[in-house]
Amino acid sequence: LLFKSFLHLRMSDLGCRIDHVMTMKFGLPEIQYDTPEKVVHFHESLLERVRSLPGVRGAALVSNAPGTGPQGDRVFTILERPAPSYSLQYDAMTLTADPQYFSVMQIPLLRGRVFTEHERLDNDRYVVVSKQFVDQFFSGDDPIGKLVRVDWDDNGQIYEIIGEVGDTIYDVTKPVEAAMYFPILSGIPDLTSEATIVAWTSTDPLAMSIPIQQQISALEPELPVYNALTMDQILGKSTATQGFAANLVLAFASLSLLLAAVGLYGVLS
């Protein structure tokens, strides 16, 4: 039963493209990249370089790739549907993404639209929400055009919902969580400095890891890069604990069967 459960987890649909996708995480130093213009310039320059690499079909930026574990969440208020009480405030997982992220990762657009190049810098008061977000907080009604107020660390901002996309799973061992996507091209240092580049390739994605790192180094030689993994590796890593437990119990079950067979043979003989 545990082994079958592990196989079920290993074959989980993350809600996005899995094959031929390379991911790589980096974090811009906020002391150096202290303005939105600097952050956006780096992000756009990196995307332009990676998209021009031979073997890369598409590239995009997101704060964290699917399957990488629990993400941070924020308390928010729907202006048209306030929470019934302070003790029952709404909260959802928050991510940042660039306009091409949803198409590169094959996350379906269900309603409205996704970001464009116009949602950038000061023009960033827009948000794309997931299907689970709509089902949970709008009871499946049309959320397009509705306003949400998100409480950040120092202040609150009002965002307009412009689109609904399919759900993606960030922890295969837990149910789908409601998610809000904000424009990564806003360039706000403390929200968008840390990002993951996802590259959809026509060849072995691992073979593209060094060329992508070289493009990052060309822009910022001292910038550390970490968690260079394919989506298949991310899924395998997220189920490693369950796989170990399943294999261990399976080994004990096999040993028990062997001992029972030896004992039964001894009695019969």
Side-chain angles (χ1 to χ4, degrees):
L1 179 62
L2 277 175
F3 191 70
K4 288 175 66 177
S5 299
F6 164 70
L7 290 179
H8 177 72
L9 287 176
R10 190 63 180 84
M11 299 174 64
S12 296
D13 181 10
L14 295 184
C16 64
R17 189 192 304 273
I18 300 295
D19 295 333
H20 292 87
V21 176
M22 185 70 200
T23 72
M24 198 172 297
K25 200 170 182 65
F26 62 89
L28 297 175
E30 294 184 14
I31 295 178
Q32 183 177 349
Y33 291 85
D34 55 352
T35 66
E37 289 78 11
K38 293 179 181 179
V39 175
V40 170
H41 178 70
F42 180 90
H43 286 166
E44 290 183 324
S45 299
L46 176 60
L47 286 173
E48 182 179 355
R49 285 171 170 267
V50 173
R51 287 167 182 165
S52 64
L53 289 173
V56 174
R57 294 178 176 178
L61 288 173
V62 68
S63 51
N64 291 284
T68 53
Q71 308 301 315
D73 58 355
R74 292 286 176 176
V75 172
F76 68 93
T77 302
I78 302 174
L79 299 190
E80 293 83 359
R81 296 188 177 193
S85 67
Y86 181 80
S87 60
L88 296 174
Q89 293 186 88
Y90 301 143
D91 71 284
M93 183 170 58
T94 57
L95 301 151
T96 56
D98 86 308
Q100 294 192 32
Y101 170 70
F102 303 100
S103 60
V104 169
M105 294 299 288
Q106 274 191 330
I107 300 174
L109 176 64
L110 305 178
R111 202 156 18 190
R113 66 177 179 86
V114 296
F115 304 125
T116 67
E117 298 297 330
H118 299 292
E119 279 79 51
R120 54 188 291 123
L121 297 176
D122 293 334
N123 186 37
D124 66 336
R125 299 294 186 261
Y126 302 95
V127 62
V128 174
V129 298
S130 67
K131 182 180 183 299
Q132 179 63 29
F133 184 99
V134 176
D135 293 342
Q136 185 173 340
F137 302 114
F138 285 93
S139 302
D141 294 340
D142 190 353
I144 307 303
K146 300 297 190 298
L147 301 177
V148 295
R149 184 183 188 275
V150 181
D151 294 324
W152 302 111
D153 294 333
D154 53 351
N155 59 0
Q157 299 289 345
I158 296 178
Y159 297 83
E160 177 186 349
I161 298 176
I162 61 172
E164 176 190 353
V165 296
D167 292 320
T168 52
I169 297 176
Y170 281 81
D171 190 338
V172 295
T173 64
K174 295 182 179 179
V176 177
E177 294 186 43
M180 298 185 290
Y181 296 88
F182 299 90
I184 201 169
L185 294 183
S186 66
I188 302 173
D190 58 342
L191 295 179
T192 63
S193 295
E194 188 173 286
T196 300
I197 186 164
V198 294
W200 175 39
T201 68
S202 59
T203 59
D204 180 10
L206 279 176
M208 299 304 302
S209 61
I210 293 179
I212 294 174
Q213 290 184 53
Q214 289 174 341
Q215 299 305 316
I216 295 175
S217 298
L219 292 172
E220 188 61 56
E222 302 298 326
L223 187 66
V225 177
Y226 54 102
N227 287 354
L229 300 168
T230 66
M231 287 299 298
D232 283 324
Q233 289 176 325
I234 288 175
L235 184 57
K237 186 178 178 181
S238 63
T239 58
T241 301
Q242 291 77 17
F244 175 76
N247 288 325
L248 184 64
V249 173
L250 188 63
F252 279 125
S254 301
L255 180 61
S256 300
L257 181 62
L258 176 63
L259 291 174
V262 171
L264 183 61
Y265 173 79
V267 170
L268 292 177
S269 63

